Amino acid sequence: MKTSRRTFLISSAGLVSSLALSRQVLAADHVDENSALAKQLGYKHDAAQVDQAAQPKFKPGEHCANCQLYQGKAGDAWGPCPIFSGKDVSEKGWCSAYTPKA
């Protein structure tokens, strides 16, 4: 079976655009720190960046992976959170809705 150069280039362009689109869709599932809700809750992807003066409830050692609301599996870098309508939060993140696991 012979493939023409034109067929190959068209197929390659389709594959590349599909991969680019899937990356955008996956990235869109992460909570945006600049969204209104994230700002309201003081969400940061990295708890080490939480401003303790602005977030007096924060205590060192608190992060999404040890929050009762985090729905990711142990070891996952990102996992869904119901506070953010199921969008993914970083396991190292933190927000003021933090509730320690029992």
Side-chain angles (χ1 to χ4, degrees):
M1 182 166 148
K2 246 182 172 180
T3 304
S4 72
R5 185 181 304 179
R6 181 178 295 189
T7 304
F8 174 76
L9 290 174
I10 291 171
S11 298
S12 297
L15 177 62
V16 169
S17 62
S18 294
L19 290 173
L21 181 60
S22 65
R23 274 191 177 185
Q24 287 178 344
V25 169
L26 289 174
D29 289 336
H30 291 174
V31 172
D32 178 4
E33 286 184 340
N34 295 314
S35 72
L37 181 58
K39 284 184 176 183
Q40 181 181 358
L41 295 174
Y43 174 77
K44 294 288 182 188
H45 292 308
D46 184 356
Q49 296 177 355
V50 173
D51 179 3
Q52 289 187 324
Q55 299 295 335
K57 182 182 172 195
F58 175 76
K59 293 183 181 82
E62 296 179 344
H63 52 85
C64 293
N66 62 24
C67 176
Q68 203 170 50
L69 301 168
Y70 182 72
Q71 297 175 342
K73 295 176 188 149
D76 285 351
W78 295 86
C81 178
I83 296 296
F84 295 100
S85 302
K87 286 192 174 194
D88 288 348
V89 294
S90 170
E91 70 169 339
K92 297 176 184 176
W94 184 89
C95 81
S96 62
Y98 175 84
T99 306
K101 286 186 180 178

